[in-house]
Amino acid sequence: MKKLDIIIVVLAVVLCAVLLVMNFTGSVLETGNWGLSFQVEGQPPAGPASASELKKYDGYYLGNTEEKVIYLTFDSGYENGCTAQILDALKKHQVPATFFLVGNYIERNADLVRRMIDEGHMVGNHTMHHPDMSKKTDFDTFSKELNDLAALYKEKTGQEINKYYRPPQGIYSQENLEMAQKLGYKTIFWSLAYADWDNDKQPSHDQAMEKLTSRIHNGAIVLLHSTSKTNAEILDEILTKWEEMGYHFASLNDLPA
């Protein structure tokens, strides 16, 4: 083999190795759906982007992994009769939560939104219309989705929205992260969720408890859907269980800088 051929082969091998490492560590930010790989029970999962890479854009999927702390969040696309029960459980345990709301939820459920605020919870921005935000490739159309929701929230509550943004369906792009950062938002993904969103295929009590206890971990940002009847039914129990496991709860405001 000629010397030049050998050099080309070596460079190709090195390039492949670099690409594999970058993919494994989640250091490449590409447009995609947020997903998780749980490799060791009780330990934080791997995401499609690393915590350190997200941090460059004020993005998070994990909190403080040095403590047994949980950051509880809910996505609320519409009201399904479950939020009051969820708020009751949070109040009983004195647990702060962040509710990521869309426009129609705020329009139709202003009383529940005000209750969230009155009981010490935060409201985050889940966009006005819940579109695939990765398709909002220019700043004006991207910012309109967030700004319109923030304006509606202020109209209904008299308060400024908390500057936390969750991409609808977890679909994201690096450009979206940059634009959210420019608007002053922190982008919040998650490190624990489960299939709770389909009202026609709700997980059983045992299925929910198993997922939420076996996969909990230090610094977990937990995503639950407030539309889920299962979540409403088990929330008191799962909060008690997590407390028995030694976890405490913190607000997204307490995320490490």
Side-chain angles (χ1 to χ4, degrees):
M1 183 179 291
K2 295 180 180 180
K3 185 176 181 179
L4 180 59
D5 293 334
I6 295 173
I7 292 173
I8 292 172
V9 170
V10 170
L11 288 174
V13 170
V14 170
L15 178 60
C16 289
V18 169
L19 290 173
L20 284 171
V21 169
M22 291 174 72
N23 185 60
F24 180 76
T25 58
S27 62
V28 179
L29 280 171
E30 298 177 349
T31 300
N33 290 19
W34 188 255
L36 299 167
S37 174
F38 287 87
Q39 298 167 0
V40 180
E41 185 171 317
Q43 294 297 313
S50 68
S52 60
E53 185 70 10
L54 287 175
K55 196 72 171 291
K56 298 174 185 177
Y57 308 97
D58 293 325
Y60 291 83
Y61 86 101
L62 282 169
N64 184 358
T65 57
E66 300 299 314
E67 292 186 15
K68 292 180 74 70
V69 59
I70 296 169
Y71 309 83
L72 190 57
T73 70
F74 292 87
D75 282 5
S76 305
Y78 58 95
E79 178 53 35
N80 195 36
C82 303
T83 305
Q85 188 176 352
I86 286 170
L87 288 168
D88 289 344
L90 294 173
K91 185 176 183 179
K92 175 181 176 180
H93 290 263
Q94 293 297 292
V95 170
T98 301
F99 289 83
F100 286 95
L101 306 183
V102 298
N104 76 79
Y105 191 98
I106 296 174
E107 283 278 11
R108 300 175 183 178
N109 304 282
D111 289 346
L112 282 172
V113 177
R114 284 190 285 269
R115 181 181 170 187
M116 293 171 190
I117 299 166
D118 291 343
E119 295 184 359
H121 306 297
M122 294 198 301
V123 171
N125 201 319
H126 204 32
T127 73
M128 189 68 180
H129 301 104
H130 202 267
D132 176 352
M133 291 295 279
S134 69
K135 295 179 180 178
K136 307 293 184 182
T137 55
D138 66 275
F139 184 72
D140 288 343
T141 56
F142 179 90
S143 60
K144 181 173 172 56
E145 277 291 332
L146 275 67
N147 290 340
D148 285 356
L149 191 282
L152 176 63
Y153 178 78
K154 186 171 184 178
E155 175 190 331
K156 296 295 183 181
T157 68
Q159 299 191 25
E160 301 292 337
I161 200 164
N162 298 276
K163 286 298 188 87
Y164 297 102
Y165 160 62
R166 173 161 286 156
Q169 303 176 65
I171 302 175
Y172 69 98
S173 69
Q174 180 174 320
E175 290 75 17
N176 286 172
L177 293 170
E178 292 170 346
M179 289 187 282
Q181 185 181 43
K182 185 176 180 180
L183 289 168
Y185 282 88
K186 291 180 170 66
T187 299
I188 306 297
F189 294 101
W190 58 90
S191 62
L192 176 57
Y194 78 119
D196 62 347
W197 56 83
D198 189 340
N199 291 324
D200 296 323
K201 296 180 181 179
Q202 280 290 285
S204 69
H205 168 280
D206 290 347
Q207 289 170 334
M209 291 297 294
E210 192 280 327
K211 289 287 187 185
L212 295 175
T213 54
S214 67
R215 292 186 171 182
I216 198 64
H217 51 270
N218 288 10
I221 297 178
V222 178
L223 161 61
L224 300 176
H225 285 84
S226 66
T227 55
S228 166
K229 290 182 170 60
T230 298
N231 287 341
E233 291 167 0
I234 71 163
L235 189 58
D236 182 19
E237 184 179 354
I238 192 62
L239 293 177
T240 299
K241 181 64 176 178
W242 283 335
E243 289 165 343
E244 291 172 351
M245 294 170 72
Y247 287 94
H248 66 278
F249 300 88
S251 163
L252 293 183
N253 282 341
D254 300 315
L255 286 168

